[in-house]
Amino acid sequence: MPRLTFHGHSCFVLESNDGTTLLIDPFLTGNPIADIGPGDLTRVDYVLFSHGHEDHIGDGFEIAQRTGAMVVSTFEIVSFAQQVKGIENAHPLHIGGGHDFAVGRIKMTPALHGGAVAGDDTGQFTTVPGGFLITLDGKTVYHAGDTALITDMQLLKGQVDVACLPIGDNFTMGPDDAVKAVAMIEPRTVIPMHYNTFDIIAQDPRAFARSVGASARVEILEPGQSYEF
Ligand code: NI
Ligand code: MN
């Protein structure tokens, strides 16, 4: 069974049945709730960035440089990785587009949020933010990235086994809107993310789970915990 491991904030490691490892939004250094540091990740095959903010780019470029992992993100972030960070192994996508990679299909989904890229002093790599729909081993994971509640989420209805949704409020959806997102997407399982990293996004995930009720299974992962599906 594929396995998702939470490392705090919006960082997840997704492992396929054959051990292929995808690292999503690896904010580890400077993340007060991360359970690992960037050096603890030995095998990484893909690094995915939902958008360019520092708490999502995190250690990702350095990890890609060290492990040889393929960077997958929007065209602008991939261009930044190639032109500024010297990363050759990279694949550009854009919102609404997907590609069949060796591990499975990765499609970028819309998100409503900011588009600046951390470390890009020129602003020339500013992009639109996104999320990911990742299908591997016959299962589909939706990582929403940082986003407001958007009605586009209705289009994912019936496609998602596990949805990783922000609940922190302030910069993204809060719990009330995340409950509405669950109603639109109808995933089997929801994993809340992007909360309790900082005081400004403090939330009670158990209260969120109670609000979701029986409409989906809510899996609350502490940093370091995994969920197989
Ligand atoms: Ni952000
Ligand atoms: Mn964020």
Side-chain angles (χ1 to χ4, degrees):
M1 289 189 288
R3 181 167 60 185
L4 262 174
T5 303
F6 185 51
H7 291 298
H9 206 54
S10 297
C11 178
F12 290 85
V13 166
L14 173 59
E15 289 164 273
S16 71
N17 286 334
D18 71 0
T20 304
T21 300
L22 297 85
L23 175 64
I24 308 167
D25 286 356
F27 173 43
L28 301 171
T29 301
N31 176 353
I33 64 168
D35 63 302
I36 58 169
D40 295 323
L41 294 162
T42 47
R43 177 176 178 177
V44 182
D45 298 290
Y46 299 86
V47 177
L48 279 60
F49 300 114
S50 65
H51 65 293
H53 289 165
E54 180 60 42
D55 58 318
H56 297 260
I57 294 285
D59 304 288
F61 292 132
E62 291 75 14
I63 291 169
Q65 287 162 348
R66 175 172 58 82
T67 62
M70 179 188 288
V71 169
V72 179
S73 190
T74 60
F75 174 82
E76 292 80 11
I77 290 175
V78 165
S79 298
F80 182 72
Q82 293 170 320
Q83 295 172 30
V84 179
K85 299 294 180 179
I87 292 169
E88 291 178 11
N89 189 17
H91 185 106
L93 293 172
H94 232 301
I95 308 304
H99 179 77
D100 293 321
F101 294 84
V103 70
R105 183 167 176 81
I106 304 175
K107 180 180 179 182
M108 287 204 77
T109 56
L112 191 56
H113 190 66
V117 176
D120 170 26
D121 299 330
T122 65
Q124 65 179 306
F125 298 102
T126 297
T127 185
V128 292
F132 293 103
L133 202 60
I134 305 164
T135 303
L136 48 78
D137 299 329
K139 299 286 177 60
T140 298
V141 174
Y142 171 49
H143 185 292
D146 279 3
T147 185
L149 178 68
I150 49 174
T151 51
D152 303 58
M153 289 173 180
Q154 295 173 87
L155 300 172
L156 301 176
K157 183 175 171 177
Q159 298 180 51
V160 177
D161 293 288
V162 181
C164 303
L165 301 179
I167 66 162
D169 212 350
N170 196 80
F171 298 117
T172 67
M173 293 191 286
D176 293 348
D177 280 348
V179 168
K180 293 177 184 168
V182 172
M184 284 194 235
I185 301 163
E186 297 184 3
R188 289 169 189 266
T189 302
V190 181
I191 301 175
M193 64 177 184
H194 211 272
Y195 69 97
N196 289 356
T197 322
F198 308 106
D199 289 345
I200 200 167
I201 54 172
Q203 296 293 338
D204 177 2
R206 281 162 193 83
F208 167 71
R210 284 193 294 275
S211 300
V212 170
S215 59
R217 174 194 176 96
V218 179
E219 195 69 35
I220 298 168
L221 298 181
E222 298 297 330
Q225 289 186 328
S226 298
Y227 177 64
E228 294 189 341
F229 54 97

